[in-house]
Amino acid sequence: MVRFQPVRRLVCTLVNQRTTRCFSATSHPCAGEVHIIEVGPRDGLQNEKTSIPLETKLELIRRLAQTGVRDIEAGSFVAPKWVPQMANSADVLNHLLGHPPSAPYPITYNYLVPNVKGLQKLLRTADDVKPGTAPDLSQPTDDPDTLPTPPPSPKEQEEAEPAPITSTEDPNEMPSDTSGVSDPVKPASSSAAGNQTEISLFTAATEAFSKANTNCSIAESLKRCKEIVALAKSREIRVRGYVSVALGCPYEGPNVAPSRVAEVTASLLEMGVDEVSVADTTGMGTAPRTRELLKTLSAAGIASQDLALHFHDTYGQALVNVVVGLEHGIRAFDSSVGGLGGCPYSKGATGNVATEDLVYCLHSLGATTGVDVEKMAEIGSWISTELGRENDSRAGKAMLARLHT
C-alpha cells in the first residue's frame, strides 16, 4: 500500500525564527550548509542544438562527481521527439548503476519523468542492471553489443507524450579553501554504495505555459503527477517536483500570482512530493517579487525545508534572488555548471545560474556547500569548449584566469 507524506509537514515553522535580516554587512548569523543541486547534465544539456555524444555526458557527470556536489540531474525519460538530447538517458542510468564514478560522498542521481510511462521505463532499466555487469559506456568500443541502444522505433515515437520542463575519481576530501567547508569530514574510501536514484516531475504556475509545455491544463498535469508519485513511493523512490514559470511566464507576462504558485506547490507536497523546486524558468524574477512569493509560500504553511529555488540568469538577477531566498530560510538551490541551459518555450531566456557563480557567492557569505569551486570552474571551461559555446560563468572565468597566470 502506498503511503503519502503526511499533510502536517506543511505546517508553518516560523515560530522562534529570527526576524533580523540575514547576511547583513556586519555578520552572517544565518549562514550554514547550503544544498546545491547540479542540473547541468539534464536541464543544462537538453536545450543544446548540436548532438552530444554519450561519452561526453558520462565524462561530464564523472567530473562533477569529483567536486563534492551530492545531487546531480543525470537525464530525462521523455520521448526523443521532444528532447533528442535526452534520448540516451537509459544508457546514462545503466552506466551510473553499473559503473558509478568515484566520488568523495554518495551521490543522488535524478531523472526527470513526464508521466507514468517515463517512470516505468526508468524502473525497467534499473531492474535490469546489476552493479559491475553493465557495459562501461564511458569508453569507446567497436563491440556492437556494448554500443548505446538505438533510438525508439517510429511506432514508439508516434505515441503522444508531453514535452518536458526546460527550465540536474579522486576520493579525497574537498580542500577547505575552495569548498567552503572549514573542517570537512573525510569521506569513506568508497561512496558509490550509498548512491541513490530519484526522480523529478513537473507542472506549471500558469495555464498558458502548461498547455505549451505539457499540452494539458494545470489540473490535468497535477493528476499525472499524482500517478507518478504513487508509483514512485511504492518503490520507495524520492520525488522532486518542479513548478515552472513561478516568477514570470512567456505567455502571460511577469506578474504570475504568488497565490497560484503556493496552491500548486502545496498540491505537490500534499500528494507526497518530497521537495518542490520553485522555478524562475524565464529569468524574469526580481528581488521584490521573489520576496513576495516566498512570503506567500510561508503564509500558506509551506515550510522552507520543503523548497528549493531554481533561477535562470536572463536579466542578471539570479544571484540577487538567491540572496533573497537565503534571507527567507531557503537552503537548496539548483544550478548548472558553466551556466548551461535555456528554455525553448521562452524566447530569449538564457541558462541556469552558473554553479561556479552560485558557489562563489555562497562561500563569500559564509555558507558551506562542500563543493570545490575551482574544480567546478575547470569543468565549466571544459564542457563549454566541448559544446563550442561561450562559458557563461563570470566567477569561473575569473578564477581560471587567476589560477593560470
Side-chain angles (χ1 to χ4, degrees):
M1 179 177 179
V2 177
R3 293 184 299 174
F4 293 113
Q5 301 288 335
V7 177
R8 65 175 179 274
R9 68 201 296 273
L10 301 178
V11 176
C12 184
T13 57
L14 297 179
V15 179
N16 297 325
Q17 283 192 356
R18 297 186 181 184
T19 58
T20 56
R21 285 178 59 85
C22 307
F23 303 107
S24 67
T26 56
S27 64
H28 310 314
C30 294
E33 184 175 356
V34 177
H35 183 200
I36 304 296
I37 299 93
E38 172 57 53
V39 303
R42 198 280 298 179
D43 195 32
L45 294 183
Q46 71 173 13
N47 201 44
E48 291 295 314
K49 304 303 180 185
T50 59
S51 178
I52 304 171
L54 175 63
E55 291 78 13
T56 300
K57 294 181 182 180
L58 296 176
E59 177 62 14
L60 174 60
I61 294 171
R62 186 192 70 80
R63 295 187 185 209
L64 289 169
Q66 297 174 19
T67 66
V69 70
R70 305 191 192 198
D71 287 79
I72 299 175
E73 274 197 341
S76 179
F77 282 79
V78 299
K81 67 179 178 180
W82 292 116
V83 190
Q85 295 290 13
M86 296 291 108
N88 52 16
S89 289
D91 295 312
V92 173
L93 172 62
N94 186 300
H95 177 83
L96 294 177
L97 290 176
H99 301 275
S102 297
Y105 304 99
I107 294 177
T108 296
Y109 292 103
N110 181 288
Y111 300 86
L112 183 138
V113 296
N115 49 29
V116 169
K117 180 181 176 181
L119 178 54
Q120 289 171 337
K121 182 178 180 181
L122 181 151
L123 293 173
R124 287 195 300 270
T125 302
D127 289 343
D128 290 341
V129 176
K130 294 181 180 180
T133 62
D136 187 352
L137 300 176
S138 64
Q139 301 298 326
T141 176
D142 294 327
D143 183 355
D145 292 331
T146 60
L147 288 174
T149 56
S153 66
K155 181 178 180 180
E156 291 176 332
Q157 291 191 358
E158 289 171 3
E159 296 179 12
E161 193 168 322
I165 188 174
T166 55
S167 330
T168 199
E169 297 183 354
D170 182 4
N172 296 320
E173 60 188 340
M174 294 295 100
S176 60
D177 58 335
T178 58
S179 68
V181 180
S182 58
D183 185 21
V185 178
K186 188 174 182 179
S189 58
S190 177
S191 60
N195 289 350
Q196 299 290 327
T197 298
E198 71 174 23
I199 65 165
S200 57
L201 47 78
F202 56 91
T203 185
T206 68
E207 292 290 351
F209 192 85
S210 182
K211 287 286 187 180
N213 195 32
T214 63
N215 197 31
C216 69
S217 66
I218 294 175
E220 292 169 331
S221 176
L222 289 173
K223 183 178 179 181
R224 291 176 182 171
C225 290
K226 191 170 184 178
E227 294 171 349
I228 296 171
V229 172
L231 178 56
K233 293 302 178 181
S234 72
R235 297 292 294 267
E236 299 183 348
I237 297 174
R238 186 175 185 271
V239 181
R240 291 188 92 220
Y242 280 106
V243 178
S244 56
V245 297
L247 286 163
C249 174
Y251 309 107
E252 298 185 20
N255 297 315
V256 176
S259 59
R260 186 56 171 157
V261 179
E263 181 181 350
V264 174
T265 301
S267 295
L268 290 174
L269 291 170
E270 287 172 347
M271 69 176 66
V273 170
D274 297 282
E275 177 182 80
V276 175
S277 182
V278 179
D280 182 15
T281 313
T282 62
M284 293 180 184
T286 62
R289 289 196 291 110
T290 300
R291 184 177 296 110
E292 180 186 4
L293 173 59
L294 292 173
K295 287 182 177 179
T296 301
L297 291 168
S298 178
I302 298 171
S304 60
Q305 60 263 33
D306 290 332
L307 297 175
L309 292 177
H310 180 114
F311 293 114
H312 284 237
D313 205 26
T314 310
Y315 295 92
Q317 300 301 296
L319 291 179
V320 176
N321 294 331
V322 165
V323 174
V324 173
L326 290 168
E327 292 177 340
H328 286 77
I330 305 299
R331 292 295 181 270
F333 297 91
D334 300 350
S335 62
S336 179
V337 63
L340 298 175
C343 178
Y345 298 97
S346 179
K347 187 175 294 185
T350 57
N352 301 277
V353 62
T355 305
E356 305 94 304
D357 296 356
L358 174 62
V359 173
Y360 184 86
C361 174
L362 292 171
H363 291 178
S364 75
L365 295 171
T368 61
T369 64
V371 177
D372 187 324
V373 69
E374 291 181 0
K375 284 187 177 181
M376 195 65 74
E378 295 280 1
I379 298 169
S381 176
W382 169 78
I383 190 60
S384 297
T385 300
E386 289 288 312
L387 299 176
R389 57 169 289 164
E390 180 72 20
N391 182 357
D392 286 335
S393 171
R394 287 167 289 185
K397 289 185 290 188
M399 277 186 286
L400 292 178
R402 175 176 55 82
L403 291 171
H404 296 162
T405 54

